[in-house]
C-alpha cells in the first residue's frame, strides 16, 4: 500500500523528518511518500498560517488522486489538522490528521492524557480539536513549550525543554499519557517517554498505523453525503486552478 504523509507547511527538512518517523513504524509492505506542498507557510503557528496552508495540502491530495498511482491513505502531518474535512471531500481514500490520531491512541492508555504543543497561541485550536474528537473528558490539560515550530530543529535545548514540559504536564494533570502537539516533535517521542516514565504519543506514528489499519481492512470513506466530492464551480484569481 501507499500512504501519502503530507506536511502542510513548506519546510522540506521537516517533511523529510516526518516521513522518516512514518517509515520507522510502517509495515514492510507499506510505502511512505513524504509530500511538501508547492505553496503555503514555512510553518503553521496561527489561524492565518493554518488558513493559508489548506490550498497547498488540497492541491497535493488532488494531484495524487489524479495521478497514475493514487495514495491508499493520506496523513495530514500538522497538529492543527488543517483542512481535514475539505481533504476528505477531495480524497477517495481515508484521510487522518495527526492530532486526531494521537488523541485517539492516547485515550486507549488510561483515564486521561495531556497535550504539549509549541506556542501558547495554538492552545485554543487544540482545545477545539479535543472537543471535536469527543475527547473533552479524556484530555486533562494542554500546555505549551513556547518553542516556535522551526526552532524545534535548530534549538539545542529542544529535547531538554520538551522532557521537562512533558514531565510537569503529566504530574500537574495526573495524566497517563502525553500527546506531542507538533509533527516536528515526532523524533523525540521515545526519548521523552523513557525520561518521564509516561507513554508519549506522536501523531505521525499513530496516524501512519491507523491509516495502515484502515487500508488493511479495505474500508473506503463514504463517497456520498457531507463529505462527497465538492460541487463543480468556477474559482477566480490565484485559486482558479481549484475550479472545475
Ligand atoms: C505542526 N505547525 O505540527 C504544527 C504545530 C503547531 O507547522 N506543524 C506546523 O504549532 O500547531
Amino acid at each position: 500500500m501507499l500512504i501519502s504523509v503530507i506536511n502542510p507547511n513548506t519546510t522540506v527538512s521537516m517533511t523529510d523528518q516526518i516521513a522518516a518517523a512514518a517509515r520507522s513504524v510502517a509495515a514492510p509492505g507499506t510505502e511512505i511518500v513524504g509530500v511538501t506542498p508547492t505553496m503555503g507557510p514555512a510553518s503553521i503557528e496561527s489561524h492565518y498560517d493554518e488558513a493559508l496552508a489548506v490550498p497547498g495540502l488540497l492541491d497535493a491530495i488532488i494531484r495524487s488522486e489524479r495521478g497514475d498511482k493514487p495514495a491508499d491513505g493520506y496523513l495530514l502531518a500538522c497538529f492543527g489538522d488543517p483542512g481535514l474535512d475539505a481533504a476528505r471531500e477531495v480524497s477517495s481514500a481515508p484521510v487522518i490528521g495527526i492530532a486526531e490520531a494521537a488523541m485517539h491512541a492516547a485515550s486507549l492508555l488510561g483515564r486521561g492524557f495531556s497535550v504539549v504543543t509549541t506556542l501558547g497561541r495554538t492552545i485554543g485550536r487544540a482545545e477545539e480539536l479535543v472537543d471535536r474528537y469527543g475527547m473533552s473528558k479524556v484530555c486533562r490539560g494542554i500546555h505549551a513549550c513556547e518553542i516556535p515550530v522551526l526552532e524545534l530543529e535548530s534549538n539545542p535545548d529542544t529535547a531538554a525543554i520538551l522532557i521537562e514540559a512533558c514531565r510537569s504536564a503529566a504530574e500537574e494533570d495526573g495524566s497517563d499519557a502525553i500527546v506531542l502537539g507538533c509533527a516536528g516533535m515526532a523524533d523525540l517521542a521515545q526519548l521523552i517517554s523513557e525520561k518521564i516514565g509516561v507513554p508519549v504519543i506522536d501523531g505521525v506514528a499513530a496516524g501512519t498505523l491507523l491509516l495502515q489499519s484502515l487500508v488493511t481492512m479495505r474500508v473506503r470513506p463514504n463517497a456520498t453525503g457531507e463529505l462527497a466530492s465538492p460541487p463543480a464551480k468556477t474559482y477566480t484569481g490565484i485559486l482558479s486552478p481549484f475550479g472545475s
Side-chain angles (χ1 to χ4, degrees), residues 7-11 14 18 41-46 49-50 76-82 98 117-119 122-123 125 147-150 152 180-185 204:
N7 169 21
N9 74 43
T10 54
T11 299
M14 203 166 155
I18 291 166
S43 65
I44 299 163
E45 302 169 306
S46 67
D49 293 341
E50 187 160 324
L76 300 183
C78 170
F79 199 74
D81 293 356
I98 63 170
T117 189
T118 55
L119 300 180
T122 68
I123 288 176
R125 177 64 179 150
I147 301 176
V149 171
L150 296 184
L152 288 169
L180 294 178
C182 181
M185 300 174 180
V204 173

Side-chain angles (χ1 to χ4, degrees), residues 23 42-43 45 69 77 82 105 112 116 123 126-128 139 175 177 207 210 220 222 234:
R23 290 191 184 101
S43 65
E45 302 169 306
K69 190 184 175 189
V116 175
I123 288 176
E127 288 171 345
E128 287 174 349
C139 180
S175 290
L210 277 171
R220 302 285 283 183
N222 179 10
T234 303

Side-chain angles (χ1 to χ4, degrees), residues 45-185:
E45 302 169 306
S46 67
H47 297 297
Y48 180 85
D49 293 341
E50 187 160 324
L52 292 175
V54 175
L57 74 88
L58 293 178
D59 177 57
I61 295 174
I62 292 166
R63 287 173 187 272
S64 169
E65 291 288 291
R66 292 176 180 168
D68 298 335
K69 190 184 175 189
D72 298 298
Y74 298 93
L75 182 63
L76 300 183
C78 170
F79 199 74
D81 293 356
L84 180 60
D85 292 326
R88 286 174 172 166
E89 288 182 343
V90 297
S91 169
S92 61
V95 183
I96 292 180
I98 63 170
E100 180 180 40
M103 290 181 191
H104 282 86
S107 72
L108 304 174
L109 292 166
R111 281 203 179 278
F113 64 81
S114 299
V115 177
V116 175
T117 189
T118 55
L119 300 180
R121 67 178 296 161
T122 68
I123 288 176
R125 177 64 179 150
E127 288 171 345
E128 287 174 349
L129 294 177
V130 164
D131 182 52
R132 169 179 169 160
Y133 300 138
M135 295 288 167
S136 299
K137 291 183 179 175
V138 190
C139 180
R140 296 186 162 188
I142 304 175
H143 308 260
C145 67
E146 293 304 348
I147 301 176
V149 171
L150 296 184
E151 285 185 26
L152 288 169
E153 207 174 333
S154 59
N155 186 332
D157 300 325
T158 293
I161 292 169
L162 273 178
I163 287 167
E164 282 320 305
C166 292
R167 189 196 313 278
S168 61
E171 290 170 0
E172 186 180 318
D173 300 341
S175 290
D176 301 307
I178 294 289
V179 166
L180 294 178
C182 181
M185 300 174 180

